[in-house]
């Protein structure tokens, strides 16, 4: 039987230990799932370690668990994926973060490009980043990953190109009028660039190509900004990673 999985920001120890869980998982365990003393669960700390634990006590605002020692358990793909994606309206970015985490993305870099329809100040962007990190944690709890993807602070498009200009990974920019790219047989590191709802401007696409990105056509249909990265990551994980392996 699959045990409920919960993230803790506390470092899990190799030695037998007892842990008082944070308020959010404690509330979910006690209030939502109505678990009881003696029930078993799985904890992970986001660094690749997990433990099977047992509820030792439930208090008003906290749950105490005991465990027999942490194990290094990796469910990470051999393909390292970095996703550079322009901000989009509504909850589209939430969907991308959630599903990309499930598909094994390692790093997400939100961008502000010329046609980005979302304009937020620094405080709101910081709150968004916290929100996306929580979504990634929840996705890891669901899918079994023990390593959290990195959610970077939002940066301008041109800054992202500068940041990744010397990067040695395979760099692909999805663009609906590009030609089909000639993909290598083997790859272990890919950086994927996705535009906003209105797509990249000609200047941005030219700048991306000049920075080492290859304009890449995924297929004959134009995919939405929240669909394109997920379809591309799935294809890449099937080709070079651990899907269908």
């Amino acid at each position: 039987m699959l045990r409920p999985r919960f993230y803790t920001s506390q470092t899990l120890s190799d030695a037998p230990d007892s842990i008082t869980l944070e308020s959010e998982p404690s509330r979910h365990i006690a209030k939502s799932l109505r678990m009881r003393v003696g029930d078993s669960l799985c904890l992970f700390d986001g660094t690749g370690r997990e433990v099977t634990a047992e509820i030792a006590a439930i208090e008003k605002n906290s749950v105490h668990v005991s465990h027999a020692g942490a194990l290094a358990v990796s469910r990470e793909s051999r393909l390292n994926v970095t996703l550079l994606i322009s901000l989009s309206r509504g909850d589209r970015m939430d969907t991308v973060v959630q599903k990309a985490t499930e598909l094994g993305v390692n790093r997400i870099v939100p961008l502000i490009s010329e046609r980005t329809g979302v304009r937020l100040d620094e405080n709101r962007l910081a709150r968004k980043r916290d929100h996306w990190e929580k979504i990634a944690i929840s996705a890891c709890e669901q899918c079994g990953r023990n390593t959290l993807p990195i959610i970077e602070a939002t940066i301008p498009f041109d800054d992202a190109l500068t940041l990744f200009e010397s990067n040695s990974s395979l760099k692909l920019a999805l663009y609906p009028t590009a030609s089909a790219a000639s993909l290598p047989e083997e790859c272990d590191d890919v950086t994927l660039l996705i535009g906003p709802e209105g797509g990249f401007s000609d200047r941005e696409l030219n700048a991306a190509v000049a920075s080492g990105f290859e304009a890449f056509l995924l297929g004959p249909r134009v995919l939405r900004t929240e669909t394109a990265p997920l379809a591309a990551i799935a294809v890449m994980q099937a080709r070079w990673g651990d899907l269908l392996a």
Side-chain angles (χ1 to χ4, degrees), residues 27-236:
R27 183 170 55 252
H28 188 52
I29 288 168
K31 302 297 184 182
S32 300
L33 298 181
R34 298 185 181 276
M35 298 179 72
R36 297 289 182 259
V37 171
D39 287 351
S40 63
L41 50 84
C42 181
L43 296 177
F44 68 101
D45 63 8
T47 67
R49 303 168 73 81
E50 74 173 20
V51 301
T52 298
E54 183 176 290
I55 298 175
I58 298 178
E59 298 180 356
K60 183 177 181 180
N61 296 310
S62 61
V63 170
H64 309 276
V65 302
S66 59
H67 70 80
L71 296 174
V73 180
S74 177
R75 300 185 181 94
E76 297 301 297
S77 173
R78 58 181 173 266
L79 177 65
N80 183 72
V81 180
T82 296
L83 174 62
L84 311 182
I85 182 165
S86 299
L87 296 181
S88 52
R89 295 185 181 90
D91 60 359
R92 293 184 179 92
M93 192 71 177
D94 293 1
T95 299
V96 169
V97 170
Q98 181 189 63
K99 303 308 180 186
T101 298
E102 293 176 28
L103 287 168
V105 73
N106 303 92
R107 183 182 183 190
I108 299 174
V109 185
L111 307 178
I112 296 176
S113 54
E114 290 181 16
R115 295 172 180 168
T116 296
V118 179
R119 301 292 173 178
L120 304 174
D121 59 31
E122 289 187 6
N123 289 334
R124 292 184 67 189
L125 284 174
R127 291 198 297 272
K128 279 288 188 181
R129 185 184 184 185
D130 291 340
H131 173 66
W132 294 326
E133 286 177 340
K134 290 178 180 177
I135 289 175
I137 287 171
S138 179
C140 285
E141 289 177 337
Q142 182 274 322
C143 74
R145 288 184 69 179
N146 290 321
T147 302
L148 297 178
I150 298 169
I151 312 292
E152 301 284 6
T154 301
I155 59 176
F157 175 86
D158 291 329
D159 289 356
L161 294 188
T162 300
L163 181 64
F164 285 88
E165 189 167 13
S166 61
N167 188 285
S168 61
S169 67
L170 174 64
K171 295 189 288 188
L172 300 173
L174 286 189
Y175 198 72
T177 60
S179 300
S182 179
L183 298 177
E185 288 298 318
E186 300 292 336
C187 179
D188 58 12
D189 193 355
V190 61
T191 300
L192 182 64
L193 179 61
I194 305 291
E197 289 99 322
F200 291 124
S201 67
D202 290 341
R203 184 202 70 82
E204 288 174 326
L205 182 64
N206 291 334
V209 171
S211 296
F213 283 86
E214 181 176 1
F216 173 60
L217 179 66
L218 189 60
R221 292 172 295 281
V222 177
L223 303 181
R224 296 173 68 97
T225 187
E226 71 272 25
T227 308
L230 306 179
I233 294 168
V235 168
M236 292 169 186

